Amino acid sequence: MAEPTEPARSTGRVAVAAAPGRPPEWQRLCWMLVGGGLFALMYFLPGLPDATDPGGRIVSLTPEGRMALGLFLLAATWWVFEVLPIGVTAIAIAVLQALFQIRSARDAFTDFMDPAVWFIIGSVIIGMVFTKTGLTNRLAYRMLTIVGERTSRIYLGAFVLTSAMTLLMAHTAVAAAVYPLLMTIYALYEEDSRPTRFGKGLFIGMAFTAGAGSIITLLGAPRAGVAIGFYRQLVGREVDFFELTYYLFPIGALMVLLLWIYILLVFRPEQAVIAGLRDRARRLHARLGPMKRSEIIGLGITMLAVGLMSARSYVPAFEYLDKSAIIAGSTVLFFVFRILAREDLEALPWNIVLLFGGAMSLGLCLWQTGAAEWLAISWLSHLHGQEIVAFIMGVGVFIMIMTNVIMNVAAIAISLPVALVMAPYLGVSPDVILFVALTVAGMPFLFLVGAAPNAIAYQSRQFTAGEFFMAGVPASLIVIAVTWFFVAKVWPLMGMPVSG
């Protein structure tokens, strides 16, 4: 096999694999009609029963909320079966909100430029910088010299690296930085970049383990800060950095290990060994020579952004800094120092950006119309009177479902307060509710919109949205099983009360 060249160093563009096979036209049209039919069903449905919270407050589902649920069903169907490009489905979400007056056009389309979307744009641009400067090649070749030539160990090395980086960086930024590194590794496996089992496992596994690692510290994702804020307000107790890590490190580490085994079984590589890979990686690393000016500046700006985002959790004077502004500021600096050029901006994967803009619009639509609150109360009220562990896991299942279709921060904001209010009625400790919510909200493995690493991995074009969903179903069941095991067995031994 010829040694690969490094075209990404000069252009910043990441080569992507050939698209996986598309479904037949009749099948595409069929699923398009199914999604439209579900929306129409919710539109014409006369009404759904009211929900009652533990305090006796009645929550009715408004016509706008009912249509928001129909829009969610349409979007989920179209995204999973890719009846349209995922970015175009995202645009349809806003269009339907405006046409059917679910929300105003200003609200529906403004959400596409939510600060969270800018954070994703900035994270993707950091990945482009790593690619263009050659930092990804340097990291990839170094990693390969350590893990060796067995593809099972390459899986393990990539997954451990991804999850370890999320201890210090937001998982979106980690995925954006690791993605081009994995593309470099994959180029050494398959010269023509066609989809393979190894490619599917490498990128789907990256997305999964980015989520598993991100639950361990406060730095992995903003969801932990939001959940702890609700917990402080409703329970009156503060959960600090070390307590969170004490309880979540064991479950996060175990999930990384189990996900590696799962990926290895489901996506067993075509080649068990890539002969001569370690020597080839050493030669390619030596050919890079010392770090260049562009690499040093690019790495320095990235570390500055990561440091400022991390300092927000420790230094009171930095609390006012917005993470989206920080990472967008790093984008400006990349152009100021000429690390990136205009053509790099034009190469931004707008399909992915639109996907998350649509996800934000859908999530806020469910929230503002009251549909999400109605869903949460309806679900959790059915768990009233159940065994303690059954209630706890019911909360976990609901949050996992919600966080697969709307931002996990929003899913926690909707579900956690309701669960914390209901917990005392059932004799459930609020602590276990908090940590279950943080665990499952960090691992949305079903839909691309569930987390930014899912969508970033999709750029590889090694798998379809449907293949990702099918791989995510068993992975989600593993999350639920492991969470149950920790609730029933492990966390009580570590000192966490389950009943309160």
Side-chain angles (χ1 to χ4, degrees), residues 7-8 11-15 128 131-132 343-344 346-347:
T11 66
R13 298 173 186 264
V14 180
M128 295 172 64
T131 301
K132 183 173 183 177
E343 58 268 21
D344 299 309
E346 294 170 352

Side-chain angles (χ1 to χ4, degrees), residues 22 79 82 84-90 348-358 448 455 458-459 461:
R22 297 297 181 188
W79 270 329
E82 293 189 84
L84 294 172
I86 56 177
V88 176
T89 295
L348 197 67
W350 290 106
N351 196 38
I352 302 302
V353 174
L354 288 172
L355 169 69
F356 271 91
L448 299 179
Y458 177 77
Q459 290 183 74
R461 298 175 69 84

Side-chain angles (χ1 to χ4, degrees), residues 48-49 52 129-130 133 145-146 153 160 187 205 228 322 329 359 399 412 417 448 455:
L48 291 170
T52 305
V129 168
F130 272 52
T133 60
T145 59
I146 295 173
R153 292 184 180 179
V160 169
I228 288 173
D322 181 81
I399 293 178
I412 284 178
L448 299 179

Side-chain angles (χ1 to χ4, degrees), residues 19-38:
R22 297 297 181 188
E25 183 65 13
W26 68 267
Q27 192 174 1
R28 186 183 76 89
L29 292 175
C30 177
W31 286 115
M32 184 179 294
L33 291 173
V34 168
L38 291 171

Side-chain angles (χ1 to χ4, degrees), residues 403-431:
T403 200
N404 267 285
V405 293
I406 64 176
M407 284 190 64
N408 47 36
V409 172
I412 284 178
I414 293 164
S415 312
L416 188 60
V418 176
L420 288 175
V421 169
M422 291 187 68
Y425 290 89
L426 301 174
V428 177
S429 166
D431 289 27

Side-chain angles (χ1 to χ4, degrees), residues 103-114:
R103 288 196 304 161
S104 70
R106 175 175 293 277
D107 289 339
F109 286 101
T110 299
D111 295 337
F112 275 72
M113 285 291 100
D114 186 88

